[in-house]
Amino acid sequence: MEIRPLVDRDPAPAALGLSVTPEAFAAQMAVVAERGFTPLTTAGLAAAWRDGTPLPARPLLITSDDGYEGVHRHALPVLAKHSFASTVFVSTGRLRGEHDGGGALDTMLDWAQVRELADAGTEIGGHSHSHPQLDAERLRFETLRCREIVGEELGTAPVSFAHPYGYSSRRVRRAVREAGFAQALAVGNALARRRRGPYALERVTVRRSTGTEEFARLVEGRAIARNFAADRAVTKGYALARRARGALRGHWI
């Protein structure tokens, strides 16, 4: 599953659709605990699948993209209360600090907060440098620069990546692998399956409008296709449009 990037009671208007309230997030994590799920990091799940290590009962990923400050302020205490593992995928060029190039929709983490998340057991993954729609011109820079900065700031390079906007293609997945990442997440709004391969693992989106009962159905894997039918149609159309633009430029992306 994917928690939305921003956990905040009153986010900026442009980020509202990307958010959940702190109260909703706390209620959702209570559901995860009550139903006996075992949250893992993205790296932990991928390593178990790669090595054939048995997974714990009812494994679950709790992930957040971009690196908004609310993950530290609101989500971390709830995750710590339940001793839940999670993964935060950061766009290094949007976090507050010397690498900040602007463009964020709301307040972002600073690197001290990122280190506190990592020290608390949160996996820090990459989410590109400037969060573009990845294309051939910037693909190599965006993946390599992101991994380089996280490595410099934390002392350990990230091994997991989340594709910006949840989109990936064979070209993008190859670039992510060549940059040194061992696995990557898309969105897809489907349960993660080993057969998808390590660079296109799917997630389910949790929105601000997702009620507790709907959340419970999602984590149980029920009614996912019906819930996200419209999203899949939009995603398919978007992928076709990207492919058409790539063909006009003389390359497939």
Side-chain angles (χ1 to χ4, degrees):
M1 61 171 280
E2 175 197 14
I3 68 170
R4 294 308 290 164
L6 179 57
V7 182
D8 203 306
R9 192 168 289 108
D10 186 27
L16 182 64
L18 302 174
S19 67
V20 297
T21 66
E23 294 79 9
F25 179 72
Q28 291 161 2
M29 294 303 101
V31 169
V32 171
E34 290 163 3
R35 300 204 173 205
F37 287 94
T38 304
L40 306 173
T41 63
T42 303
L45 174 67
W49 276 348
R50 189 177 295 116
D51 302 337
T53 304
L55 289 167
R58 314 202 82 186
L60 180 78
L61 297 187
I62 302 171
T63 71
S64 177
D65 292 355
D66 299 349
Y68 287 99
E69 194 267 348
V71 173
H72 181 275
R73 180 189 300 269
H74 300 297
L76 180 58
V78 177
L79 295 169
K81 172 186 174 181
H82 294 289
S83 299
F84 283 169
S86 66
T87 305
V88 175
F89 295 98
V90 298
S91 294
T92 49
R94 290 189 172 182
L95 300 190
R96 288 180 290 152
E98 64 175 298
H99 311 293
D100 188 356
L105 299 179
D106 209 299
T107 305
M108 306 300 288
L109 295 165
D110 62 30
W111 285 102
Q113 292 171 320
V114 175
R115 283 187 281 274
E116 288 179 13
L117 285 163
D119 289 343
T122 301
E123 178 190 7
I124 306 300
H127 193 46
S128 79
H129 181 61
S130 63
H131 202 285
Q133 294 178 4
L134 291 179
D135 55 32
E137 286 77 21
R138 293 187 59 83
L139 186 51
R140 180 176 171 81
F141 169 79
E142 288 287 339
T143 52
L144 286 172
R145 185 60 177 145
C146 174
R147 192 163 192 267
E148 176 185 53
I149 291 174
V150 175
E152 290 174 353
E153 293 286 349
L154 301 186
T156 303
V159 295
S160 302
F161 187 83
H163 302 292
Y165 301 101
Y167 169 83
S168 71
S169 66
R170 281 179 293 181
R171 188 186 191 101
V172 171
R173 293 191 290 272
R174 183 171 61 249
V176 170
R177 183 179 67 248
E178 291 173 351
F181 293 98
Q183 53 273 329
L185 297 181
V187 175
N189 286 316
L191 299 182
R193 302 294 186 191
R194 187 175 182 177
R195 64 176 179 269
R196 292 283 298 177
Y199 292 94
L201 298 174
E202 294 179 307
R203 296 180 284 178
V204 173
T205 303
V206 178
R207 300 185 172 96
R208 198 172 186 89
S209 60
T210 304
T212 303
E213 291 185 5
E214 180 186 354
F215 177 85
R217 289 194 296 272
L218 294 177
V219 295
E220 294 284 357
R222 293 187 279 117
I224 290 177
R226 183 173 69 248
N227 273 43
F228 296 105
D231 300 75
R232 289 179 178 178
V234 170
T235 300
K236 184 176 181 180
Y238 176 63
L240 291 172
R242 285 183 62 93
R243 179 168 290 189
R245 287 199 302 271
L248 288 172
R249 294 174 186 153
H251 59 261
W252 295 97
I253 59 176

